[in-house]
Amino acid sequence: MSPIITHEDELELANMEKALVSQIKKLAKTQTTLIDSQKKYADNLRKVNLTRDMVNRTFRDVLKQMQTLVRERRSNIKDEEVKYFQEIIHKNDEYIVINNKYIDSIKDLAVKKDYLVEKKYEFAAALSEVASKRSVVIKKALSVEKKKNDLIEGEKIKILESELNDSQRDFDRARDVLIKKINQFLQVKNEVDDLWVNLKNAVNKTS
């Protein structure tokens, strides 16, 4: 046998929704801090990559000079040295290209996560509105029932019922907005998940 649902249960739901709003906002705030750290990390990686590129240019200058000297048999350059320098330059070139893709993946993910946090705040705001209007509707419904039990004049009851209907319509509109915001949030969440896959693939290439 199913339990009887009371107005108190619905009021408890409204209170739980308000608590959830608080937790969502707290999570969004901590995620913003993390996203800022990820952006800074990507910026630092970019600086390292630029420095590596400068080092590689110097490697090329050295290699060019070595190749000039190695033609002279009396020079103190061995073919093996030239080969190693060529290998280092090639590996650095590859690493720079791959690392740039990795950095771009981090940046893309961070930007999309910023947007996700924005949608999370919108979701929280819509849920807060629903919770507030849910409480209003339930309290008005309880008030109407009480007045009916108190045998209040029919005309006054009609006014109260009209106010209850208005509150119900307000709640319905707020709930429609919430559903829309949840849908938007989930769409962006899916986009973030896809970017996580891109980042994972970029990490595999750099490892």
Side-chain angles (χ1 to χ4, degrees), residues 29-202:
K29 185 177 179 180
T30 56
Q31 285 180 320
T32 297
T33 301
L34 177 60
I35 293 166
D36 289 341
S37 297
Q38 289 174 328
K39 289 177 180 177
K40 187 174 181 180
Y41 171 61
D43 289 338
N44 288 334
L45 280 178
R46 187 81 72 188
K47 290 175 184 177
V48 171
N49 236 23
L50 289 172
T51 303
R52 187 187 300 277
D53 187 52
M54 291 176 64
V55 169
N56 224 27
R57 290 179 188 179
T58 306
F59 259 114
R60 283 194 176 87
D61 293 338
V62 173
L63 175 62
K64 185 177 180 180
Q65 189 66 14
M66 288 172 66
Q67 288 172 326
T68 300
L69 293 174
V70 80
R71 297 190 191 103
E72 298 294 331
R73 293 299 174 186
R74 296 175 63 183
S75 69
N76 290 317
I77 307 297
K78 290 187 176 181
D79 289 339
E80 191 176 20
E81 290 178 79
V82 173
K83 178 185 175 183
Y84 283 149
F85 267 62
Q86 287 174 328
E87 184 177 348
I88 290 171
I89 291 169
H90 177 67
K91 286 186 178 297
N92 275 340
D93 282 338
E94 283 187 334
Y95 190 87
I96 289 168
V97 171
I98 292 172
N99 222 32
N100 276 331
K101 290 180 180 178
Y102 174 52
I103 293 166
D104 289 341
S105 295
I106 295 173
K107 288 279 193 178
D108 290 344
L109 178 59
V111 169
K112 187 62 70 173
K113 285 174 72 176
D114 264 336
Y115 189 45
L116 181 63
V117 168
E118 180 184 323
K119 289 300 173 185
K120 195 166 287 184
Y121 275 120
E122 291 180 6
F123 173 13
L127 181 58
S128 178
E129 190 72 8
V130 163
S132 296
K133 292 187 182 300
R134 187 189 303 279
S135 295
V136 170
V137 169
I138 299 309
K139 288 175 182 178
K140 281 188 179 292
L142 286 170
S143 177
V144 169
E145 285 186 15
K146 185 176 183 302
K147 297 297 183 182
K148 285 181 178 179
N149 291 334
D150 291 343
L151 302 177
I152 298 297
E153 294 178 14
E155 195 60 35
K156 289 183 179 179
I157 290 295
K158 286 182 180 179
I159 293 173
L160 291 173
E161 288 179 336
S162 177
E163 291 176 355
L164 173 59
N165 290 335
D166 289 341
S167 296
Q168 181 65 51
R169 281 191 289 270
D170 285 344
F171 171 79
D172 291 341
R173 282 192 291 269
R175 185 182 52 199
D176 290 342
V177 170
L178 174 61
I179 291 171
K180 179 181 177 182
K181 293 301 179 182
I182 292 174
N183 183 49
Q184 291 175 348
F185 167 76
L186 290 175
Q187 285 180 354
V188 178
K189 181 69 172 63
N190 288 336
E191 292 172 9
V192 168
D193 290 344
D194 290 339
L195 288 173
W196 269 117
V197 173
N198 290 344
L199 178 59
K200 179 183 175 183
N201 292 337

Side-chain angles (χ1 to χ4, degrees), residues 13-29:
L13 172 58
N15 290 332
M16 292 171 70
E17 287 170 331
K18 290 174 183 177
L20 178 57
V21 167
S22 178
Q23 291 298 319
I24 291 173
K25 288 181 178 179
K26 183 177 180 181
L27 175 60
K29 185 177 179 180

